[in-house]
Coordinates of all heavy atoms in Angstrom, one line a residue:
L17 N -1.4 15.3 13.5 CA -1.3 16.6 12.8 C 0.2 16.7 12.1 O 0.3 17.5 11.3 CB -1.6 17.7 13.6 CG -3.0 17.8 14.1 CD1 -3.3 19.1 15.1 CD2 -4.2 17.7 13.1
L44 N -10.8 11.6 10.3 CA -11.0 13.0 9.8 C -10.6 14.0 11.0 O -11.3 13.8 11.9 CB -12.3 13.3 9.2 CG -12.5 12.7 7.7 CD1 -14.0 13.0 7.3 CD2 -11.5 13.2 6.7
I45 N -9.8 14.9 10.8 CA -9.5 16.0 11.7 C -9.8 17.3 11.0 O -8.9 17.6 10.1 CB -8.3 15.9 12.4 CG1 -8.0 14.5 13.2 CG2 -8.0 17.0 13.4 CD1 -6.8 14.3 13.8
G46 N -10.7 18.1 11.3 CA -11.1 19.3 10.5 C -11.1 19.0 9.1 O -10.6 19.8 8.2
D47 N -11.8 18.0 8.7 CA -12.2 17.5 7.3 C -10.7 17.1 6.5 O -10.8 17.2 5.3 CB -12.8 18.7 6.5 CG -14.3 18.8 7.0 OD1 -14.8 17.9 7.5 OD2 -14.8 20.1 6.9
I48 N -9.8 16.9 7.2 CA -8.5 16.4 6.7 C -8.2 15.0 7.1 O -8.4 14.8 8.4 CB -7.3 17.4 7.0 CG1 -7.6 18.7 6.4 CG2 -6.0 16.9 6.4 CD1 -6.6 19.9 6.8
V49 N -7.9 14.1 6.1 CA -7.6 12.8 6.5 C -6.2 12.7 7.3 O -5.1 13.2 6.9 CB -7.5 11.9 5.3 CG1 -7.1 10.5 5.7 CG2 -8.8 11.9 4.7
R50 N -6.2 12.2 8.5 CA -5.1 12.1 9.3 C -4.9 10.6 9.8 O -6.0 9.9 9.8 CB -5.1 13.1 10.5 CG -5.3 14.5 10.2 CD -4.0 15.0 9.6 NE -4.1 16.5 9.4 CZ -3.2 17.3 8.9 NH1 -2.1 16.7 8.6 NH2 -3.4 18.5 8.8

Side-chain angles (χ1 to χ4, degrees):
L17 301 179
L44 285 178
I45 298 177
D47 292 330
I48 299 173
V49 176
R50 301 288 186 180

